[in-house]
């Protein structure tokens, strides 16, 4: 059934013609949850749970793979706050990560990963170091949100990580003002947390699942002055509201501070660390397509990859397709984050959501 | 004056409404040539000159700044062929480059830079090493085109670089099947060489010029099944033909070989090496927006930056804006390359241009 927004009319002095687009020819569909948890073994936990009080501490988001997942990272934003990213370089020892923490709180929020480590240690999950001991491998990245609604000193600590890890589970993932996206802003609008997934259904890639979760706190914008998303053309299965395609550009906000978009891409493919790194690099193009500008001086944009390898086929010839799907899935997760974000209007702490600005686009 | 293609009609069950886009609010215009040579001091030379015989040796493109330009690079594609990129790391000694060579011929084409060095040495241009001697700093990147129409052994050598350097000049820059783009292909269509420029006209950025030149030889595509360019929304001043906005996605070509997109971004801004590196990283997002997928396993995508610094203001707070303009300018140069590309049909060497596939879009 045709949805009319996918038709566009163009008129010139010489001729008037209408193009109706064909169905997208990607052999891809969203997974059943359209969430990173469509990748078997991937669990997500937030702490604290979502609150309507924007002065409460900013929650964190943990993405956990208790069985371990081969890790990769792409760090290209100009103002990062990270831990355990050096370890992810292909030449370094450890191959598998047990969790990735996305947190608010600027660099103070890196403390949340301490608690995730303690949670996983108690479960015996981590890199074995002899004597029955483990060191959980928990890379993390933060975004800047402190002092927006709560005091600057209100920030995630290790107890947040402990609780988020204990709460981690599969199933649907909440989006919008939740987890690391609770205090996020994006190009002057409310940012948030978003997730998406893609199931590859053709050829040698059949059965590969790619999921993404992202906290969007970007200096750049995700939509133009008419509310059309830059990444609108990547929609799968009518997952976005009835909106058009980006036709114009906008001036980027000049703020160099208080930004950063951070994400995790997960897949069931069996990747080496080097392959996971390449997938992270390709996934990073999904930020470029969804957010404009991106990777700027004041954005600490960082993308982690977790490859669980439960699909045990050799993926050597699938890396390009997985990376391309990772970029698209991440772009779509960014759109989901902005669509799910809710306005905050509490005293001097005020920021409008996309849906407050374009209510007709969110009527769906 | 309104061009009607910038209006789109969307219909839903609830309401029918038409959005007319406002004028792009970027305070940017193309430069007078809409070419990298709009940056004062930047010269471009090709050798051999364009030929209608696709079995002739693939030419190279040299971008020369005899006065020297602060250099930066972003190398993210999976199959690069480069020289002098380590030197460009901010912590290393040399700050200024004298030329950048873009060449076909796969890694054999790196020989072309030898000749550019000899040309510049004869002019006394280079890094002074005492005794009146200089070592010209000539980074280079190549793309894969050998064996397409000519024999595999027909390739650029040092004499090409020498001639291209001697021919380098300001003024208009030829596009399409010329220079490093002569043998290029892009997502199954004819690739080519393209250029574009942007003049920033507001606030502290007023007077900053950003230019780009690119040889598009990508595994990914630049337009969808209807001929709409992914980067169509970045058009300035009606520089593209009467075409629409990308509304659908396409399957990426599966070929992992014989690709790579290489480019130079130049600016008159006074940048440090570290700032030039950040601008290169941000410019790389312009490839992501114009080519899909990009930075894959078989693409050696590499972007150089040359900052001439003839605008002597401190650019510290302008880096984000310059990087964003660099991305947009590079995206537009990619579109120009594909629009200017010409079909080749000589014996078994056959590849269709964009304009052969979508003649109505090229009637302008």
């Amino acid at each position: 059934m045709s949805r009319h927004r996918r038709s566009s009319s163009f008129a010139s002095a010489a001729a008037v013609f209408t193009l109706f687009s064909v169905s997208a020819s990607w052999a891809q569909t969203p997974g059943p949850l359209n969430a990173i948890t469509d990748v078997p073994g991937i669990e997500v936990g937030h702490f604290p749970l979502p609150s309507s009080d924007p002065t409460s501490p900013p929650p964190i988001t943990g993405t956990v793979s208790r069985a371990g997942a081969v890790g990769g990272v792409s760090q290209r934003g100009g103002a990062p706050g990270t831990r355990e990213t050096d370890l992810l370089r292909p030449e370094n020892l450890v191959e598998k990560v047990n969790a990735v923490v996305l947190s608010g709180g600027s660099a103070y929020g890196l403390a949340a990963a301490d608690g995730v480590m303690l949670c996983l240690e108690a479960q015996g999950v981590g890199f074995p170091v002899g004597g029955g001991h483990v060191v959980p491998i928990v890379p993390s990245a933060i975004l800047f949100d402190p002092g927006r609604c709560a005091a600057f000193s209100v920030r995630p600590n290790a107890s947040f990580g402990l609780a988020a890890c204990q709460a981690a589970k599969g199933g649907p993932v909440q989006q919008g003002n939740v987890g690391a996206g609770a205090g996020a802003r994006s190009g002057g609008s409310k940012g948030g947390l978003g997730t998406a997934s893609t199931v590859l259904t053709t050829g040698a890639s059949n059965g590969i699942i790619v999921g993404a979760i992202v906290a969007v706190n970007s200096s750049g914008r995700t939509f133009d002055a008419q509310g059309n998303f830059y990444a609108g053309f990547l929609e799968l299965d009518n997952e976005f509201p009835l909106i058009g395609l980006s036709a114009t550009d906008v001036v980027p906000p000049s703020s160099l501070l208080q930004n950063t978009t951070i994400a995790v891409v997960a897949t069931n493919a069996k990747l080496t660390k080097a392959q996971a790194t390449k997938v992270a690099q390709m996934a990073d193009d999904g930020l470029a397509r969804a957010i404009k500008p991106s990777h700027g001086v004041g954005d600490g944009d960082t993308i982690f990859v977790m490859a669980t390898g439960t699909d045990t086929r050799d993926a050597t010839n699938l890396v390009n397709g997985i990376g391309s799907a990772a970029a698209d899935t991440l772009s779509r997760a960014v759109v989901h984050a902005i669509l799910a974000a809710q306005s905050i209007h509490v005293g001097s702490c005020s920021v409008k959501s996309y849906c407050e600005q374009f209510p007709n686009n969110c009527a769906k």
Side-chain angles (χ1 to χ4, degrees), chain A:
Chain A
M1 186 177 137
S2 172
R3 298 169 84 204
H4 292 286
R5 69 187 157 126
R6 280 304 189 216
S7 66
S8 300
S9 299
F10 313 114
S12 73
V16 176
F17 51 97
T18 301
L19 296 175
F20 289 92
S21 71
V22 296
S23 301
S25 50
W26 283 100
Q28 300 183 347
T29 62
L33 300 170
N34 206 357
I36 193 171
T37 45
D38 282 323
V39 178
I42 294 292
E43 301 173 322
V44 172
H46 308 302
F47 184 84
L49 294 177
S51 163
S52 59
D53 176 8
T55 66
S56 65
I60 70 154
T61 296
T63 303
V64 178
S65 170
R66 289 171 214 275
V70 173
V73 68
S74 175
Q75 200 296 300
R76 288 177 58 229
T82 59
R83 55 191 274 179
E84 295 281 48
T85 48
D86 282 326
L87 163 153
L88 291 175
R89 289 203 304 270
E91 69 271 27
N92 287 339
L93 174 68
V94 171
E95 292 214 327
K96 289 191 173 182
V97 304
N98 305 109
V100 173
V101 179
L102 308 179
S103 176
S106 188
Y108 299 107
L110 293 173
D114 300 342
V116 175
M117 290 184 67
L118 297 177
C119 159
L120 293 173
E121 183 188 29
Q123 299 173 7
V125 171
F127 183 80
V129 291
H133 302 298
V134 297
V135 177
I137 306 300
V138 185
S140 178
I142 53 80
L143 55 80
F144 193 103
D145 60 5
R148 284 188 171 159
C149 296
F152 187 83
S153 61
V154 175
R155 58 180 69 127
N157 59 36
S159 73
F160 288 49
L162 189 66
C165 172
Q166 290 169 341
K169 58 179 176 20
V173 176
Q174 284 186 286
Q175 301 180 95
N177 298 13
V178 58
R185 299 186 183 185
S186 170
S189 299
K190 184 71 187 75
L193 192 82
T195 189
S197 73
T198 305
V199 181
L200 306 183
T201 56
T202 23
S205 298
N206 186 35
I208 297 289
I209 306 167
V210 178
I213 190 166
V214 62
V216 183
N217 191 52
S218 55
S219 68
R221 291 172 60 109
T222 60
F223 52 88
D224 67 13
Q226 285 74 44
N228 302 311
F229 285 96
Y230 293 125
F233 73 104
L234 295 170
E235 179 186 37
L236 291 183
D237 285 9
N238 299 340
E239 67 191 318
F240 303 152
L242 286 167
I243 45 185
L245 297 164
S246 178
T248 56
D249 207 354
V250 292
V251 176
S254 59
S255 169
L256 289 179
L257 298 174
Q258 308 192 346
N259 304 304
T260 288
T261 297
I262 47 182
V264 179
V265 168
T267 177
N268 62 341
K270 183 183 174 187
L271 302 179
T272 64
K273 273 181 85 180
Q275 291 166 341
T277 302
K278 173 43 76 181
V279 169
Q281 291 173 349
M282 292 183 74
D284 220 346
D285 284 349
L287 284 195
R289 295 188 187 110
I291 302 172
K292 191 165 176 306
S294 50
H295 304 105
V297 175
D299 288 281
D301 302 344
T302 304
I303 315 294
F304 295 98
V305 163
M306 301 172 79
T308 63
T310 57
D311 183 313
T312 57
R313 292 173 291 177
D314 180 348
T316 302
N317 291 324
L318 307 180
V319 172
N320 239 29
I322 294 168
S324 180
D328 293 352
T329 309
L330 182 52
S331 290
R332 291 163 47 223
V334 168
V335 177
H336 293 162
I338 302 302
L339 287 170
Q342 296 174 299
S343 298
I344 293 180
H345 298 295
V346 178
S348 64
C349 177
S350 181
V351 57
K352 288 185 182 179
S353 69
Y354 173 87
C355 287
E356 182 178 348
Q357 297 170 69
F358 301 98
N360 289 337
N361 290 357
C362 294
K364 177 179 172 181

